[in-house]
Amino acid sequence: MNQDIYTVAHQKLLEGKTSESFDSMVQAWQQTPSKAEQDNLSDLLQLAITEDCGHSLATTPLPTWLTSLVIQREMVQNQNQILPRLAITGTSTVKITNIDFIQWPEQSVLSSAPKMDNGGYFSLETRRLQKVSSDGLYQLVINAEGVDSFKAWVLLTRPLSKQRIGWIDSRNWRIERNTLPNRACPSPILSMNLYDLNDTTWTPLWTENVDGKLPTTLPKIDLLDGRYWLSVGIIESRWQGEIGILDIQSITRPVDYPGQ
């Protein structure tokens, strides 16, 4: 890697020119950096996010037809297995025909037409990635009917090396609290969802999101006696300009729930 580009990226960040620093980071990743240089770039990205949670990383606005856009990276711990997922969601005023998410230079992570509802909400996800989406450079391309394609470079941070949340028993879980929060970003959210085991649409029967003091036990819920599927996840959010980026660690298991 041309060390000058990394130096420029660092200097621009020190000068408060976060979007210019981001552009230099993208150029540096395009030069196939060594492992040590990749680590330096990832550290620099983490530092840049502490400015304003990533709002000023990119100044290019979303096109008028793309009213919201979120990239969601999730690690799902199911019994003794960890399943990486990646999803791209948002809202659009036109029909989206295809979404490509490519780990630079040519490793396709997602490439398909998303599901869309009548309100313009769209979602596309892969449930079985071969490995967790690593830190580094990605290209996002969204094609839609009657408009120019939207293209953006995306930098993902280093994924957490340790699962912060784990089961104690079917109603209780532990949360590691030894990580320093990024004070520029919103507080983490704990998302709890109960599903009918026979519902293949995976529409939650009950859901609750909590921020601030995160609970570690399932509250009382008005449900019929039976067996359900419980998912509990910690959601950490940041931005890349107008693109929302969520990192989620989830744990799932079947639970027997008595009626109230």
Side-chain angles (χ1 to χ4, degrees):
M1 183 180 78
N2 182 345
Q3 191 61 29
D4 289 345
I5 295 179
Y6 175 77
T7 305
V8 167
H10 205 279
Q11 186 63 37
K12 293 295 184 186
L13 187 59
L14 290 174
E15 293 171 358
K17 299 174 180 175
T18 317
S19 64
E20 292 180 29
S21 175
F22 174 81
D23 292 342
S24 295
M25 288 184 225
V26 169
Q27 291 178 44
W29 276 103
Q30 289 171 337
Q31 295 192 7
T32 318
S34 67
K35 180 65 174 69
E37 290 165 341
Q38 290 177 20
D39 289 343
N40 286 339
L41 285 167
S42 292
D43 289 343
L44 190 61
L45 177 62
Q46 291 280 17
L47 183 61
I49 291 167
T50 63
E51 293 284 312
D52 60 359
C53 201
H55 283 285
S56 59
L57 280 176
T59 54
T60 305
L62 295 178
T64 54
W65 53 268
L66 190 59
T67 47
S68 69
L69 180 62
V70 177
I71 298 168
Q72 181 175 303
R73 179 172 57 174
E74 184 173 10
M75 296 291 290
V76 183
Q77 189 165 32
N78 178 5
Q79 288 148 355
N80 294 321
Q81 205 177 14
I82 292 185
L83 305 172
R85 288 184 190 167
L86 191 119
I88 296 173
T89 65
T91 49
S92 171
T93 58
V94 295
K95 183 180 179 182
I96 293 176
T97 54
N98 198 76
I99 298 176
D100 281 294
F101 194 63
I102 301 157
Q103 184 170 12
W104 196 88
E106 55 189 19
Q107 178 66 45
S108 177
V109 180
L110 280 176
S111 182
S112 187
K115 297 176 186 173
M116 289 194 77
D117 67 17
N118 293 334
Y121 175 79
F122 64 87
S123 65
L124 177 64
E125 74 168 279
T126 173
R127 287 183 171 268
R128 289 195 172 270
L129 287 174
Q130 292 299 311
K131 59 179 183 177
V132 62
S133 300
S134 60
D135 50 335
L137 180 63
Y138 294 76
Q139 187 173 40
L140 174 63
V141 182
I142 301 179
N143 294 308
E145 290 183 351
V147 293
D148 292 336
S149 298
F150 171 71
K151 297 181 180 180
W153 292 110
V154 175
L155 286 179
L156 291 185
T157 55
R158 189 182 294 119
L160 288 173
S161 58
K162 185 179 179 183
Q163 193 83 357
R164 285 183 59 199
I165 185 169
W167 292 113
I168 295 174
D169 54 42
S170 63
R171 301 268 190 101
N172 300 277
W173 51 88
R174 56 163 184 81
I175 298 174
E176 298 281 344
R177 304 179 190 274
N178 54 1
T179 55
L180 287 174
N182 183 343
R183 300 195 181 282
C185 291
S187 300
I189 291 172
L190 189 83
S191 179
M192 298 172 283
N193 295 275
L194 275 173
Y195 302 89
D196 181 341
L197 285 171
N198 299 315
D199 180 6
T200 56
T201 67
W202 290 101
T203 303
L205 295 171
W206 170 86
T207 184
E208 185 174 318
N209 292 336
V210 182
D211 61 5
K213 183 172 174 54
L214 303 183
T216 55
T217 188
L218 195 62
K220 289 185 177 181
I221 308 162
D222 185 16
L223 285 174
L224 297 174
D225 292 6
R227 172 157 271 215
Y228 299 90
W229 192 260
L230 173 61
S231 172
V232 183
I234 297 177
I235 304 171
E236 297 190 352
S237 57
R238 70 171 180 93
W239 298 86
Q240 182 182 295
E242 293 187 356
I243 301 173
I245 298 182
L246 304 181
D247 266 300
I248 306 171
Q249 285 192 343
S250 298
I251 50 175
T252 64
R253 68 180 295 163
V255 295
D256 294 307
Y257 202 86
Q260 303 300 312

